């Protein structure tokens, strides 16, 4: 066969190959159309179904990712949508797996709740991330996922989070590392180190002490497998030491609020070192990056809005005072601080892009009066809370006070006074059965950290080009230029 094709010459051979590929992709499209019609659904607006029409979009997505402009790509991809389906489009490259891109709240609701069992992480996601996250809560579906969540959940109950000693310890260390009043510091770097220290201390009962060892590279950003080995070398002794304890010794430890850790709790339910390792890896990364990024975005915005910082400081001083650590009840009483964190998470959800694979033939809801959108088994739905939560049409034009509602693209904690987002229009911690199990822990850690900064510093100043900042989206969305700021302590006698 090969010698026959070579004998035809390059022109005829190329024509035959091109004809074969055209027939292959055409038949694939016809087969997909047939399956969709049989299900009684329709396709989302199709941007590409083969390498010729689909490749440009994949190349542009890759280019925008390397240039940290993925948000722009995702926003403009809906320019190709239709009035009947304005917030969901379909792209296929090789014709086998369809990617449906959406920013529609009803689609997110369907994926995360209504048809939860019909969508999951899928085999491809598991295979790609299992070297790092193993068979943890973030990579599994079904019973395996349920078992992982059951292992993790007990350590994030309210009574555990109420113990703020660990936050006080590492926030105090963070503040001790800040330079003198008026000097510049990249506070994002310190936030990432602090949250790493908090998370390892909480999980293992022993911190990596990153704030006090600024040159120690614990979680490299490059060399994927090398980074995994570094992590494993750090946590392995803790796992071995814990597994050397007998079940009765673990039960005795469980009665101690101070000494009982996440690792101890996990070892009570499984003696499998790999299972323990996988859960630790997952919670370690989730606990560090998402919280640090959100704190970084918060300070970035506060540096641009001194009136918000001033109001926050007044609230903190009136509720907590200038010196003592806040209690759990104090943090819950700081309404404007909660609004500020909610506003940050609205503009900068920690995980800006997420995906689910269809575990069976299913669908996404169409607009009122329109048929549902077909999602075939193996198709991947990519949803962006970052894009969705910035859609201007999801916000009112006028607030409850009768004034014009603040621009959804602008940081404005005051918008939360008397306004609550509609269900599924705001999902910074996901929702449904997979809602972030550490949500309360993260919100408490962030609020505690900000309170301690607000108590000490009267104001802050941005020391970079505020308008040149960009959204660097990897797994977590973080400020691409860091957050260079200067904090200024209150003068003697000045309270607010």
């Amino acid at each position: 066969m090969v010698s026959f094709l070579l004998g035809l010459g390059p022109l005829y051979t190329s024509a035959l190959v091109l004809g074969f590929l055209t027939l292959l992709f055409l038949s694939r499209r016809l087969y997909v159309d047939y399956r969709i019609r049989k299900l009684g659904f329709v396709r989302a607006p199709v941007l590409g179904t083969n390498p010729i029409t689909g490749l440009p979009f994949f190349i542009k997505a890759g280019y925008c990712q390397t240039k940290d402009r993925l948000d722009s790509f995702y926003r403009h991809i809906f320019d190709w949508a239709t009035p009947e389906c304005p917030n969901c489009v379909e792209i296929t490259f090789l014709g086998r797996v369809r990617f449906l891109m959406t920013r529609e709240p009803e689609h997110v609701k369907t994926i995360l709740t209504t048809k939860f069992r019909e969508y999951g992480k899928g085999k491809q996601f598991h295979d790609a991330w299992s070297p790092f996250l193993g068979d943890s809560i973030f990579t599994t579906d079904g019973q395996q996922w349920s078992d992982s969540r059951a292992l993790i959940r007990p350590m994030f109950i309210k009574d555990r989070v109420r113990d703020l000693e660990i936050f006080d310890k590492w926030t105090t260390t963070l503040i001790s590392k800040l330079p003198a009043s008026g000097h510049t510091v990249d506070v994002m770097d310190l936030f990432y180190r602090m949250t790493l220290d908090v998370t390892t201390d909480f999980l293992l009962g022993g911190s990596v002490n990153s704030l006090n060892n600024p040159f120690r590279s614990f979680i490299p950003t490059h060399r994927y497998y090398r980074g995994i080995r570094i992590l494993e070398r750090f946590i392995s002794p803790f796992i071995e030491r814990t597994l050397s304890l007998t079940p009765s010794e673990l039960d005795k430890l469980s009665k101690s609020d101070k000494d009982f850790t996440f690792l101890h709790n996990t070892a009570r339910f499984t003696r499998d070192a790999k299972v323990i390792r996988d859960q630790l890896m997952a919670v370690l990364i989730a606990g560090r990056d998402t919280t640090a990024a959100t704190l970084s975005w918060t300070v970035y915005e506060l540096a641009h809005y001194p009136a918000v910082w001033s109001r926050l400081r007044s609230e903190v001083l009136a509720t907590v005072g200038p010196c003592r650590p806040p209690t759990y009840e104090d943090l819950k009483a700081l309404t404007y601080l909660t609004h500020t964190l909610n506003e940050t998470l609205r503009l900068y959800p920690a995980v800006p892009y997420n995906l689910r694979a269809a575990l069976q033939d299913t669908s996404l809801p169409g607009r009122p009066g329109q048929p549902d959108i077909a999602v075939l088994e193996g198709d991947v739905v990519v949803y962006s809370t970052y894009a969705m939560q910035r859609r201007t049409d999801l916000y009112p034009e006028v607030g409850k006070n009768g004034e014009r509602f603040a621009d959804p693209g602008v940081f404005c904690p005051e918008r939360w006074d008397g306004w609550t987002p509609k269900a599924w229009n705001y999902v910074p911690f996901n929702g449904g059965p997979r809602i972030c199990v550490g949500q309360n822990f993260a919100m408490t850690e962030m609020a505690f950290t900000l309170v301690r900064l607000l108590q000490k510093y009267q104001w802050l100043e941005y020391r970079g080009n505020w308008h040149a900042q960009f959204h660097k989206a990897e797994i977590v969305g973080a400020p691409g230029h860091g957050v260079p700021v200067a904090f200024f302590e209150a003068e003697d006698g000045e309270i607010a």
Side-chain angles (χ1 to χ4, degrees):
M1 182 65 178
V2 174
S3 58
F4 171 73
L5 291 174
L6 291 175
L8 294 176
L11 185 61
Y12 287 105
T13 301
S14 299
L16 282 174
V17 171
L18 181 61
F20 172 76
L21 291 176
T22 301
L23 183 62
L24 178 65
F25 286 111
L26 178 61
S27 62
R28 173 67 186 176
R29 168 147 192 170
L30 292 173
Y31 176 65
V32 170
D33 287 341
Y34 166 75
R35 288 179 64 188
I36 290 173
R37 284 196 304 272
K38 191 174 180 181
L39 292 169
F41 303 135
V42 297
R43 299 181 87 138
V46 179
L47 308 189
T49 59
N50 56 67
I52 296 175
T53 57
L55 185 59
F57 290 99
F58 282 91
I59 291 175
K60 188 173 182 181
Y63 175 80
C64 288
Q65 172 67 28
T66 61
K67 297 296 182 181
D68 299 301
R69 288 165 44 196
L70 195 57
D71 55 335
S72 175
F73 168 79
Y74 203 93
R75 183 172 65 253
H76 289 298
I77 201 171
F78 296 102
D79 294 344
W80 298 80
T82 63
E84 294 76 23
C85 184
N87 296 303
C88 184
V89 295
E90 173 194 328
I91 308 175
T92 309
F93 176 45
L94 293 176
R96 298 182 64 185
V97 176
R98 300 187 308 146
F99 292 87
L100 286 88
M101 326 286 281
T102 184
R103 57 177 181 178
E104 173 56 51
E106 285 300 315
H107 293 173
V108 176
K109 176 184 176 182
T110 297
I111 291 167
L112 298 181
T113 55
T114 313
K115 296 184 177 180
F116 173 75
R117 296 186 182 280
E118 298 176 17
Y119 291 93
K121 294 293 184 173
K123 185 178 184 303
Q124 285 184 325
F125 184 91
H126 176 271
D127 292 347
W129 285 97
S130 60
F132 184 14
L133 300 175
D135 297 323
S136 69
I137 191 172
F138 295 129
T139 60
T140 53
D141 297 309
Q143 189 60 46
Q144 198 171 24
W145 164 81
S146 182
D147 291 343
S148 292
R149 191 174 178 90
L151 282 175
I152 293 172
R153 189 177 181 84
M155 289 304 291
F156 290 97
I157 60 175
K158 182 179 178 181
D159 288 345
R160 285 281 174 188
V161 177
R162 288 173 63 94
D163 184 1
L164 306 181
E165 183 179 325
I166 194 170
F167 300 141
D168 190 27
K169 172 184 175 182
W170 292 110
T171 302
T172 299
T173 306
L174 167 80
I175 291 176
S176 74
K177 302 301 177 185
L178 293 173
S181 181
H183 288 254
T184 304
V185 61
D186 180 5
V187 76
M188 186 174 86
D189 177 66
L190 291 177
F191 283 149
Y192 269 80
R193 294 183 181 281
M194 184 199 74
T195 54
L196 178 59
D197 287 339
V198 169
T199 306
T200 50
D201 207 349
F202 176 74
L203 293 179
L204 308 173
S207 172
V208 69
N209 208 14
S210 179
L211 279 168
N212 289 316
N213 293 279
F215 299 108
R216 184 174 185 181
S217 179
F218 180 64
I219 302 183
T221 54
H222 303 290
R223 298 182 181 179
Y224 180 57
Y225 291 100
R226 177 176 174 269
I228 293 171
R229 288 193 297 272
I230 291 174
L231 279 166
E232 289 176 336
R233 281 200 301 271
F234 176 75
I235 66 175
S236 290
F238 288 92
I239 296 174
E240 291 168 6
R241 196 155 54 239
T242 299
L243 288 177
S244 70
L245 299 173
T246 65
S248 60
E249 288 174 321
L250 287 170
D251 287 339
K252 184 178 179 180
L253 266 176
S254 70
K255 297 176 174 60
S256 167
D257 289 335
K258 301 297 182 184
D259 300 324
F260 191 63
T261 66
F262 178 95
L263 178 55
H264 292 135
N265 182 70
T266 308
R268 291 181 70 204
F269 293 94
T270 178
R271 309 296 288 181
D272 188 326
K274 183 183 182 303
V275 172
I276 296 174
R277 173 261 185 218
D278 292 350
Q279 306 308 328
L280 283 173
M281 285 287 215
V283 180
L284 176 61
I285 297 305
R288 173 204 185 229
D289 291 28
T290 55
T291 305
T294 303
L295 279 170
S296 299
W297 283 119
T298 304
V299 171
Y300 163 75
E301 290 288 356
L302 290 175
H304 194 62
Y305 295 96
V308 178
W309 180 273
S310 180
R311 181 177 168 183
L312 282 170
R313 190 163 192 270
S314 296
E315 181 185 59
V316 166
L317 294 178
T319 304
V320 186
C323 298
R324 73 170 175 85
T327 64
Y328 185 80
E329 288 69 26
D330 289 334
L331 297 178
K332 295 304 176 185
L334 295 169
T335 304
Y336 190 60
L337 179 60
T338 300
H339 288 174
T340 300
L341 287 170
N342 286 343
E343 180 69 352
T344 303
L345 288 165
R346 185 190 66 83
L347 278 174
Y348 310 103
V351 182
Y353 306 96
N354 216 321
L355 59 84
R356 292 291 186 271
L359 305 179
Q360 63 185 67
D361 289 348
T362 182
S363 65
L364 295 172
R367 301 192 82 188
Q370 299 292 329
D372 285 355
I373 299 165
V375 185
L376 304 179
E377 182 178 353
D379 287 347
V380 174
V381 180
V382 180
Y383 64 95
S384 172
T385 52
Y386 181 92
M388 182 182 76
Q389 291 173 188
R390 289 170 175 252
R391 277 178 52 190
T392 57
D393 61 305
L394 296 179
Y395 295 87
E397 293 185 3
V398 179
K400 287 190 176 181
N401 57 6
E403 298 179 357
R404 186 172 181 80
F405 195 76
D407 181 352
V410 173
F411 180 79
C412 180
E414 283 77 13
R415 79 172 75 246
W416 294 80
D417 296 333
W419 171 77
T420 303
K422 291 182 180 179
W424 298 101
N425 285 13
Y426 173 74
V427 283
F429 293 98
N430 260 337
R434 282 191 185 262
I435 192 169
C436 175
V437 72
Q439 174 179 348
N440 192 32
F441 184 92
M443 290 295 286
T444 303
E445 181 181 357
M446 292 187 292
F448 191 98
T449 304
L450 290 171
V451 165
R452 296 307 261 166
L453 289 171
L454 287 157
Q455 286 176 310
K456 182 169 184 177
Y457 298 105
Q458 186 177 7
W459 59 290
L460 75 164
E461 181 180 275
Y462 197 73
R463 290 290 174 85
N465 183 347
W466 193 87
H467 296 284
Q469 188 62 268
F470 63 92
H471 187 260
K472 187 175 183 64
E474 292 175 341
I475 299 175
V476 170
H481 283 311
V483 183
V485 293
F487 291 95
F488 295 83
E489 294 186 50
E491 300 291 337
D492 290 341
E494 291 183 327
I495 300 298

